[in-house]
Amino acid sequence: QAKTSGRNLIRFFDMGMQEQVTARAILGNELREAIQKNQFVLHYQPQMNEAGCITGAEALLRWMHPRHGVMPPDSFISVAEDTGLILPIGRFVMETACAQLVAWAARPETAHLTLSINVSAAQFRDQEFIDHTLATVKSSGVNSCKIMLEITESLLLNSLEGIIEKMFELKTRGISFSLDDFGTGYSSLAYLKHLPIDQLKIDKSFIRDVLTDMNDAVIVRTIIALAKSMELNIIAEGVETKEQRELLAKNGCFAYQGYLYAGPMATEELEQYMQQLIAKTTACTSTSAGNE
Ligand code: C2E
Ligand code: MG
Ligand code: MG
Ligand code: MG
């Protein structure tokens, strides 16, 4: 073929963008329909302690698309955010999560479970977020101490003051906060001491190569030390191997989420998973701080 001229490149680029715009518009319409037709579900990924017992779960959104099957959030969250549809979707997530916690609370085997819920910046900035969250907590009858909201550093980029105020409002009602994907954001560490957060969640991108990449190992150790010195809880996501888990434990991180244990799953599957755990790990019926 002939050499690509600058003009052709621009045209090609324009076409690509146009296609992208169209695709996002279609997705936006489908999302609107998906909300009306209740095509969203929550899956739950276990969070484990050092004894190998499940302490809680993270709620992860799935779209049961009529033609494409199960769609992961990365394929539609950004469109949902741009179109504002993340607000009704987020309300669904909060309501479903609270109902799930209430169901767990009713049974002794699951009563101790906490639930981490992802909240994107667009949701948290919405002025109705606090009211809706508190109303949902109240009407569901959930114990708010079981709820942990996962926010990301992108929320903290501007107008920190209003954000902190909102966080305190929820904190005084018993809800706690985790800083998700920690280490991947742009913010400086200076904001950390002003935030009423309870937990840092080490991003999975640092865990992936932590055994072979010295930089990742140093970052992981530093985040754990930071959490310790600020008296924050620490959890690692994306833990896939025993060796990763052991390295984390050696450095003082004793809470884990990842495929080493289980991926996100439907609530019935989670209950089965817990039954299997209880059957094979006697430690899970009592609190254990020792080795496995
Ligand atoms: P996140 O909150 O950082 O969630 C962790 C992601 O890592 C999940 O992807 C999970 O399935 C995946 N994961 C878990 N264990 C492993 C592992 O061992 N290895 C690897 N490679 N990945 C693992 P998922 O479910 O596709 O969610 C992607 C992102 O979408 C989430 O990242 C979160 O930012 C967003 N999201 C999910 N659910 C919601 C929601 O209800 N509301 C909002 N606003 N955002 C959500
Ligand atoms: Mg998360
Ligand atoms: Mg994360
Ligand atoms: Mg993430």
Side-chain angles (χ1 to χ4, degrees):
Q1 286 288 342
K3 257 195 297 182
T4 318
S5 72
R7 233 171 95 214
N8 281 338
L9 260 180
I10 289 164
R11 268 199 199 136
F12 176 74
F13 189 58
D14 282 348
M15 254 173 58
M17 291 225 300
Q18 190 50 53
E19 271 166 17
Q20 231 182 12
V21 169
T22 308
R24 288 174 75 88
I26 292 171
L27 198 59
N29 287 333
E30 288 187 337
L31 274 176
R32 207 160 282 127
E33 208 179 305
I35 295 167
Q36 280 158 9
K37 295 188 176 168
N38 298 316
Q39 289 170 358
F40 295 103
V41 296
L42 289 184
H43 280 184
Y44 302 90
Q45 183 176 33
Q47 297 181 333
M48 317 294 290
N49 66 14
E50 61 187 320
C53 308
I54 172 167
T55 58
E58 177 175 9
L60 292 158
L61 186 63
R62 299 289 181 262
W63 176 7
M64 302 310 194
H65 193 284
R67 277 170 295 113
H68 305 316
V70 183
M71 302 249 294
D74 286 335
S75 64
F76 62 86
I77 286 279
S78 86
V79 172
E81 287 171 344
D82 291 352
T83 52
L85 293 170
I86 192 67
L87 299 181
I89 294 172
R91 288 193 288 270
F92 162 83
V93 169
M94 195 63 68
E95 286 156 19
T96 308
C98 285
Q100 183 61 70
L101 271 172
V102 168
W104 284 341
R107 293 179 40 219
E109 317 89 77
T110 50
H112 66 290
L113 296 180
T114 61
L115 190 52
S116 294
I117 302 165
N118 292 284
V119 176
S120 55
Q123 288 172 262
F124 203 86
R125 291 215 179 86
D126 179 52
Q127 54 178 12
E128 280 163 32
F129 177 74
I130 302 274
D131 283 348
H132 179 265
T133 302
L134 293 177
T136 306
V137 166
K138 198 171 170 192
S139 65
S140 67
V142 72
N143 176 357
S144 57
C145 297
K146 297 284 169 68
I147 300 174
M148 181 169 260
L149 300 184
E150 294 198 357
I151 56 169
T152 61
E153 291 163 280
S154 66
L155 176 63
L156 312 168
L157 280 180
N158 37 43
S159 68
L160 200 56
E161 213 161 286
I163 299 296
I164 292 177
E165 237 165 72
K166 280 188 178 178
M167 288 176 74
F168 271 114
E169 210 170 328
L170 293 171
K171 281 225 39 117
T172 56
R173 311 296 182 100
I175 294 173
S176 47
F177 284 92
S178 176
L179 207 43
D180 201 357
D181 304 340
F182 188 72
T184 61
Y186 302 101
S187 314
S188 84
L189 292 180
Y191 67 85
L192 258 188
K193 64 172 185 279
H194 302 296
L195 290 178
I197 48 169
D198 306 273
Q199 180 186 75
L200 296 184
K201 194 169 200 181
I202 310 173
D203 190 66
K204 58 179 180 289
S205 63
F206 302 121
I207 305 299
R208 195 183 51 220
D209 302 321
V210 72
L211 294 162
T212 51
D213 186 323
M214 278 309 292
N215 293 321
D216 287 338
V218 168
I219 290 169
V220 165
R221 278 204 299 272
T222 306
I223 294 175
I224 296 170
L226 179 72
K228 208 170 244 175
S229 72
M230 301 195 69
E231 298 182 313
L232 300 171
N233 290 323
I234 185 97
I235 184 169
E237 67 174 18
V239 180
E240 296 186 0
T241 68
K242 219 165 159 254
E243 290 72 23
Q244 290 170 339
R245 197 258 323 269
E246 277 161 8
L247 185 141
L248 285 160
K250 216 169 67 189
N251 286 286
C253 174
F254 304 109
Y256 321 99
Q257 187 183 331
Y259 300 156
L260 170 62
Y261 301 98
M265 52 194 151
T267 178
E268 314 82 56
E269 287 174 79
L270 184 79
E271 277 150 37
Q272 278 173 23
Y273 177 78
M274 286 186 70
Q275 262 153 25
Q276 288 164 8
L277 264 187
I278 290 168
K280 71 173 192 211
T281 320
T282 47
C284 291
T285 50
S286 63
T287 46
S288 163
N291 301 319
E292 276 165 64

